Amino acid sequence: MKHNVTFGPAGKPVKYSGAAYKAPKYIKEEGLDSFEYQSTYGVRIGEKSAKILKEESEKHNILISMHGPYYINLCSKEEEKINKSIEHLISTARAGEWMGAYRLVFHPGFYSNMKADKALAISKNTINKLLERCEEEGLEEFTFSPETTGKRSQLGNIQEIADLCSNFEHFEPTVDFAHIHARGRGFLNSKKDYNCIFSTLEDNLDIDILHCHFTTIEYGHGGEIKHHTLDEIEYGPNMKDLLENLIDNGWNANIICETPLRDEDALKMKELYLSLI
């Protein structure tokens, strides 16, 4: 089956000292294919810099995604926080349009002692408001990408993410395999353990490019604790298991590396992938 898997870092390369919006040339010279621009503590990039990032990415053939602020909570019990979350996502979409980001990644929110179905229903209501605001703002080139989350207190297991994305236009999933592993307290231990993830995606969505995050991860009773490097082999999940699933099932995917050695480990991921095909 045909497949194409690309790789890139979450944020600036470790040894790169320039501005993030000028990183595509460096990333391409390293041998990588993509770059996830980080706005996790607020959207601070201006239009001029974002458009330079777009020009640089097109020049060097680097696929751009953007991670929005951590402050988003689609299912908050407080209307003020809902409204602020919508505005954070509007700012993300606007900057993403400037930089040509093909995915706008964000964490959907927290259950906050609500039942999961109620939190999901509130989130869908918030998304309806968000899409209305996008139309009001004249935003057209955007794809929001809610991410599978790593803590059991967070909205965002694979079924919930698939549900959100199947119900709205301009929505595609970000599948963070480390988060799924941590949330399941060590769920991904073999190649076959990925089957339910891919089955859920195939049953609910029509995906051209699967946007992914990957790192090895430490977890506890509540889920995610800390990201680790690929060389710290005592931590899972195993990268080879994921790659073999993508290859065997013909998935096109973009894998963003979130280890502390983001670009260096992304290169190791790519080398492993090339050795398998």
Side-chain angles (χ1 to χ4, degrees), residues 36-37 39 43 64-69 72 88-107 130 134 139-147 170-174 211 213:
E36 189 154 289
Y37 184 87
S39 291
V43 179
I64 298 295
S65 54
M66 179 182 180
H67 200 306
I72 292 158
H88 283 308
L89 286 168
I90 290 293
S91 297
T92 302
R94 186 179 295 113
E97 192 167 79
W98 292 333
M99 69 177 67
Y102 92 114
R103 295 287 187 274
L104 305 171
V105 181
F106 70 97
H107 300 169
L130 167 65
C134 286
L139 295 167
E140 297 177 348
E141 301 297 323
F142 64 91
T143 300
F144 290 115
S145 195
E147 178 182 344
H170 298 284
F171 269 69
E172 295 280 351
T174 292
H211 191 71
H213 287 175

Side-chain angles (χ1 to χ4, degrees), residues 150-213:
K151 296 185 187 301
R152 298 172 74 91
S153 59
Q154 293 174 294
L155 177 74
N157 64 35
I158 186 64
Q159 187 60 58
E160 289 165 344
I161 295 301
D163 191 332
L164 288 177
C165 293
S166 67
N167 276 281
F168 296 97
E169 293 183 359
H170 298 284
F171 269 69
E172 295 280 351
T174 292
V175 180
D176 189 313
F177 292 97
H179 283 170
I180 293 172
H181 183 68
R183 187 185 185 106
R185 300 173 185 150
F187 172 69
L188 299 173
N189 293 303
S190 68
K191 182 179 173 181
K192 66 180 176 57
D193 292 336
Y194 288 79
N195 290 347
C196 67
I197 298 170
F198 289 108
S199 293
T200 299
L201 296 172
E202 289 170 349
D203 290 346
N204 291 277
L205 301 167
D206 182 15
I207 299 170
D208 291 329
I209 302 175
L210 181 63
H211 191 71
C212 311
H213 287 175

Side-chain angles (χ1 to χ4, degrees), residues 12 47 82 214 217:
K12 293 198 301 182
E47 182 175 2
I82 290 282
F214 191 92
I217 196 164

Side-chain angles (χ1 to χ4, degrees), residues 14 30 50-52 55 60 64 79 81 94 110 119 126 137 169 171 196 232 255 257 262 267 274:
V14 174
E30 284 189 296
K51 287 185 173 179
I52 290 173
E55 291 169 5
H60 299 288
I64 298 295
E79 186 175 356
K81 289 183 179 178
R94 186 179 295 113
F110 292 85
T126 303
E137 293 292 322
E169 293 183 359
F171 269 69
C196 67
E232 295 176 273
I255 301 179
C257 177
R262 42 201 173 269
L267 280 167
L274 292 174

